[in-house]
Amino acid sequence: MFAAVVAAVVALATGAQAAGSCGKNSAGFEAWKQDFAAQAQAEGVGARGLSALAGATYATRTISADRAIHKAFSGSVEDFMKRRGGAAIISKGRSLKKSNAALFDRIEATYGVPPGVLLAIWGMETGFGASMGNQNTVSAILTLTYDCRRPDYFYPHAIAALKLVDRGTLTSASVGAMHGEIGHTQFLPGNVLKYGVGNGNLRDRNTALASTANYLKGHGWRAGAGYQANMGAIAGWNSASVYQQAIARIAEAIDGN
């Protein structure tokens, strides 16, 4: 109990430290990186991670995307699904389920997660791997950790990204989505460390799908319970209600065929 309290206090202090030196533009980013390097080293980041940190640049495109993020999840579920190509995801998802039946059977046997939800997430996130992003991952995560809007949220993902560079899973040149998400199903770096299976290379399709199933299982997925009963696990993937409902509807449609 005491250890847990101490850990919580340390975490809060670390987050406050990160937030206390935040910025709203690029002006203080280089100075902040120097302070962050000391924190990263104290948390076990090694030479390669620290080198990637030193070479990171302020990601202006990431900040622009972050400021517009609420618009992406606005409107009704129907409108959201139209914008994100729900019908096309269902159609291609059904085809991929059939052509990769052995893969999805193995994943479901291991994690208890059916193919529909994995295909729905994969299609929604990257169009089944067609668009995994071109924003530098380390720069994106560090910029969001420096930015004053949500530094505490992104702090552990920044540390994780640098540790993934140490491991060789990422490099200083790795690219992904605007908020630093990685691979076919768009994991944030902290989730790669916690739920990534195998070598954690989420640019490999099979690794990404198995890791996504592991993530959902880790968030309470109950095998055989159906999608409505597993909305809590889906909510763990994305906090936006329209996204959650769209994933459940698309998944049901894929698995119902």
Side-chain angles (χ1 to χ4, degrees), residues 23-231:
K24 296 182 178 180
N25 54 51
S26 63
F29 186 62
E30 291 301 318
W32 175 87
K33 284 199 307 180
Q34 296 179 26
D35 292 337
F36 188 77
Q39 297 177 46
Q41 191 168 21
E43 296 218 29
V45 173
R48 286 198 291 185
L50 293 173
S51 177
L53 166 60
T57 58
Y58 185 81
T60 303
R61 290 193 303 146
T62 288
I63 294 300
S64 296
D66 188 62
R67 299 299 183 261
I69 195 167
H70 292 296
K71 294 180 182 178
F73 298 103
S74 62
S76 67
V77 179
E78 290 75 16
D79 288 342
F80 178 76
M81 289 179 66
K82 285 180 182 178
R83 292 199 305 271
R84 300 296 286 265
I89 293 172
I90 291 168
S91 177
K92 187 164 184 179
R94 288 170 174 168
S95 175
L96 286 168
K97 178 184 173 182
K98 291 177 181 177
S99 61
N100 295 276
L103 169 64
F104 287 111
D105 285 347
R106 287 196 303 272
I107 291 174
E108 187 166 10
T110 302
Y111 302 102
V113 178
V117 68
L118 302 176
L119 287 156
I121 289 171
W122 187 20
M124 185 77 76
E125 293 290 347
T126 65
F128 304 103
S131 180
M132 289 188 274
N134 60 4
Q135 173 64 56
N136 183 277
T137 298
V138 172
S139 292
I141 287 290
L142 289 171
T143 298
L144 291 165
T145 307
Y146 161 73
D147 185 63
C148 288
R149 196 166 87 84
R150 291 185 290 170
D152 293 351
Y153 176 79
F154 284 103
Y155 179 92
H157 294 295
I159 296 296
L162 300 180
K163 288 183 176 180
L164 289 171
V165 173
D166 283 332
R167 292 184 179 189
T169 305
L170 293 178
T171 73
S172 60
S174 292
V175 297
M178 283 297 172
H179 284 75
E181 304 96 334
I182 300 164
H184 280 267
T185 54
Q186 304 285 270
F187 271 42
L188 283 169
N191 294 329
V192 177
L193 279 184
K194 189 170 183 179
Y195 299 105
V197 302
N199 62 6
N201 176 18
L202 269 74
R203 294 187 76 85
D204 172 74
R205 180 200 65 173
N206 293 8
T207 301
L209 292 170
S211 297
T212 305
N214 191 37
Y215 180 101
L216 292 169
K217 181 180 178 181
H219 283 76
W221 189 276
R222 292 183 291 144
Y227 287 110
Q228 294 308 311
N230 277 302
M231 288 301 291

